[in-house]
């Protein structure tokens, strides 16, 4: 998947954001593995991975972001300290990206704090999440609470993806969250950033297949 896909629309690389090219491919390919993806993404930002998940897919995609970290008009700084934009408008550009109508299914977006989402409504809209991409708050507490909270809307089998896994706080939070939910890790794979990595936005990605106990 990280090598690219013939079915991947290259226009998806034009969407700004901190998602590496490989991560966009990965999300796209993981959603292709599921016959009817019920995709949930927490931390949408500009919508790069959200659009990659939807492109050419049936099913339902749900995005959640309150844009608290990068509000409209804020200064966007990369991890290396480079000024990327003096007028960052993630909400506006995310909506414009989704308007490409990448998917054949339904796309829903909630501009809310992640733990304020109605789980009953989420289950009703998706029929149960079978792919969950977490890229929300990166503290151990926020990560653990996010995984634990949304697990109530998971199907019995699903794929979990967590970004920024080079961050020890994210690692701690992910493992704590997994210990608290009624699921076992059937298989897992970690994509770590290499020192020679040319793409500055590859911060490590954790993927796991989960199954209800």
């Amino acid at each position: 998947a990280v090598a690219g896909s013939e079915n991947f629309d290259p226009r998806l690389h034009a969407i700004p954001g901190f998602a590496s090219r490989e991560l966009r491919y990965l999300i796209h390919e993981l959603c292709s593995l599921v016959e009817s993806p019920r995709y949930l993404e927490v931390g949408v930002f500009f919508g790069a991975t959200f659009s990659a998940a939807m492109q050419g897919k049936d099913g339902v995609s749900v995005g959640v972001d309150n844009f608290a970290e990068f509000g409209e008009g804020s200064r966007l700084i990369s991890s290396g300290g480079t000024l990327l934009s003096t007028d960052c408008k993630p909400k506006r550009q995310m909506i414009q990206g989704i308007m490409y109508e990448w998917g054949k299914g339904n796309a829903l977006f909630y501009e809310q704090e992640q733990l304020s989402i109605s789980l009953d409504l989420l289950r009703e809209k998706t029929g149960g999440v079978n792919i969950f991409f977490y890229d929300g708050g990166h503290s151990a507490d926020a990560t653990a609470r996010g995984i634990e909270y949304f697990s109530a809307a998971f199907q019995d089998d699903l794929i979990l993806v967590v970004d920024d896994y080079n961050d020890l706080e994210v690692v701690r939070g992910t493992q704590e969250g997994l210990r608290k939910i009624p699921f076992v890790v059937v298989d897992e794979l970690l994509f770590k950033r290499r020192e020679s990595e040319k793409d500055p936005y590859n911060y490590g990605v954790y993927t796991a297949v989960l199954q209800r106990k």
Side-chain angles (χ1 to χ4, degrees):
V2 294
S5 167
E6 294 181 356
N7 298 320
F8 186 90
D9 192 316
R11 292 179 298 167
L12 291 166
H13 287 316
I15 300 174
F18 291 133
S20 67
R21 296 171 66 92
E22 288 79 10
L23 179 56
R24 299 175 198 215
Y25 283 135
L26 178 65
I27 294 295
H28 178 267
E29 290 300 289
L30 288 175
C31 289
S32 299
L33 293 175
V34 180
E35 183 175 350
S36 183
R38 307 298 191 213
Y39 177 80
L40 171 63
E41 178 170 320
V42 173
V44 175
F45 198 35
F46 283 116
T49 48
F50 192 61
S51 296
M54 291 191 296
Q55 188 237 315
K57 309 294 190 304
D58 291 311
V60 179
S61 299
V62 179
V64 179
D65 204 319
N66 62 0
F67 302 106
E69 185 172 355
F70 300 106
E72 295 294 291
S74 64
R75 290 164 60 87
L76 177 58
I77 309 294
S78 74
S79 60
T82 305
L83 179 64
L84 300 180
S85 173
T86 57
D87 190 19
C88 174
K89 295 180 173 61
K91 178 181 175 182
R92 185 182 306 172
Q93 291 188 248
M94 182 277 297
I95 293 172
Q96 288 175 344
I98 290 176
M99 291 306 291
Y100 276 118
E101 298 182 358
W102 296 107
K104 297 179 287 183
N106 298 313
L108 305 170
F109 179 76
Y110 296 96
E111 187 180 354
Q112 295 177 229
E113 196 278 328
Q114 63 183 34
L115 301 186
S116 70
I117 300 296
S118 167
L119 295 174
D120 288 337
L121 180 62
L122 184 58
R123 284 190 292 263
E124 176 188 334
K125 295 295 185 181
T126 63
V129 173
N130 55 22
I131 302 180
F132 177 40
F133 176 41
Y134 182 83
D135 195 16
H138 289 6
S139 70
D141 181 62
T143 304
R145 286 192 298 153
I147 292 173
E148 182 180 14
Y149 184 77
F150 286 108
S151 69
F154 290 171
Q155 290 186 6
D156 290 342
D157 299 279
L158 75 146
I159 299 170
L160 168 69
V161 183
V162 181
D163 196 14
D164 298 297
Y165 214 71
N166 285 359
D167 187 327
L168 292 180
E169 284 285 294
V170 175
V171 175
R172 285 178 48 219
T174 300
Q175 296 306 314
E176 180 183 345
L178 288 172
R179 286 193 294 270
K180 291 182 176 181
I181 63 177
F183 288 81
V184 294
V185 176
V186 176
D187 201 1
E188 59 186 351
L189 184 62
L190 174 60
F191 298 92
K192 296 189 70 174
R193 182 180 181 182
R194 301 181 296 274
E195 290 300 321
S196 60
E197 191 75 59
K198 293 182 179 180
D199 193 327
Y201 301 139
N202 185 354
Y203 300 115
V205 180
Y206 173 79
T207 60
V209 177
L210 305 183
Q211 188 173 75
R212 192 178 300 276
K213 295 178 181 177

